[in-house]
Amino acid sequence: GLRNFERFNSVNHLQLSRLEETVTEVMETREQFAETEAEMLLEESATEGRIRHLSEQGILERYRYVLFSTHGVFTPGDTSKSFLALNPSESSGEGFDGMLTPGDISTLALSADLVFLSACETGLSEESKSEALLGLPYAFFLAGAKQVIATFWNVDDESSRLFVTQFFRNLVNGSRTSVSQALRKTKIAFLRGDYPGYEHPRFWSGY
């Protein structure tokens, strides 16, 4: 989870805004799991280099669920340049810019039942000449993820936190609850007004 993008912006000459709720979102999701079942990478530790290290050491593929809570940027016309924003790893001498692109993602070793991309426009893709879908979700499938939840438009920071934490609460605490069932239950909760002010589909139907 990444809230502050000052380092990322400095390295990549971009102006991604601060996300106030991402760290809280990850921490509240973490509470749904036992102490030994989860690892959080927050702020300074949420680096591209750390993700690569976990993959190379075979640690990343041990996790059943993987959540990215950060900025996602979709690049029309060239989906290979779309990315999830992580902290650059320049201080460790690794030279990673923090842009986790589809090409980077496809080289990771995953076996997760679900990768949840809590970031804007991560579900957008374009069709190549070979009719294969290119984009962040497809890259995670190539890396070994069984399912990916992504977004099709810009998501509100606060409603995203509420949605993600409610989803994982439904998924983890429900006996034999599937990803699709947990997603449906979460959307129904928003629609019926469990979270006042966020009933409109723009806050929850993009997932």
Side-chain angles (χ1 to χ4, degrees):
L2 193 56
R3 177 189 305 164
N4 191 332
F5 296 87
E6 288 184 2
R7 271 183 59 200
F8 179 90
N9 289 336
S10 177
V11 169
N12 296 291
H13 308 291
L14 294 173
Q15 295 182 333
L16 298 185
S17 61
R18 181 181 173 91
L19 295 175
E20 296 296 338
E21 301 296 331
T22 51
V23 170
T24 303
E25 175 180 298
V26 172
M27 294 178 69
E28 290 181 350
T29 300
R30 167 69 180 80
E31 293 175 359
Q32 308 305 316
F33 299 89
E35 187 70 29
T36 57
E37 292 179 341
E39 178 175 354
M40 291 191 301
L41 302 181
L42 302 176
E43 298 289 58
E44 292 301 316
S45 65
T47 67
E48 181 181 354
R50 179 62 177 160
I51 295 294
R52 289 176 180 268
H53 175 76
L54 290 174
S55 175
E56 292 166 359
Q57 296 299 312
I59 298 173
L60 196 58
E61 61 184 344
R62 299 176 190 170
Y63 294 116
R64 187 176 179 184
Y65 307 116
V66 178
L67 167 65
F68 287 88
S69 184
T70 182
H71 272 298
V73 176
F74 175 69
T75 306
D78 191 353
T79 53
S80 67
K81 294 182 179 178
S82 298
F83 63 86
L84 293 173
L86 300 175
N87 252 326
S89 306
E90 54 183 353
S91 61
S92 62
E94 295 168 312
F96 298 131
D97 58 12
M99 290 186 176
L100 198 64
T101 66
D104 298 325
I105 293 165
S106 65
T107 65
L108 299 176
L110 289 168
S111 62
D113 287 347
L114 171 68
V115 173
F116 198 123
L117 305 180
S118 180
C120 295
E121 300 181 345
T122 48
L124 297 179
S125 60
E126 292 183 342
E127 205 170 282
S128 72
K129 293 180 180 179
S130 63
E131 298 184 354
L133 288 175
L134 303 177
L136 298 172
Y138 182 67
F140 277 107
F141 287 129
L142 289 178
K146 297 177 179 65
Q147 298 179 82
V148 178
I149 293 179
T151 58
F152 288 97
W153 52 70
N154 290 335
V155 292
D156 176 80
D157 196 22
E158 171 67 14
S159 65
S160 177
R161 176 182 67 81
L162 296 171
F163 190 96
V164 171
T165 54
Q166 179 63 56
F167 167 80
F168 276 102
R169 191 176 300 117
N170 290 335
L171 181 65
V172 176
N173 297 331
S175 177
R176 298 181 181 274
T177 301
S178 68
V179 169
S180 60
Q181 289 171 331
L183 192 61
R184 181 175 179 273
K185 288 180 180 179
T186 306
K187 291 182 177 182
I188 289 174
F190 272 75
L191 181 60
R192 71 185 175 207
D194 288 9
Y195 298 100
Y198 296 116
E199 297 90 347
H200 195 282
R202 72 173 180 271
F203 292 110
W204 49 266
S205 63
Y207 292 96

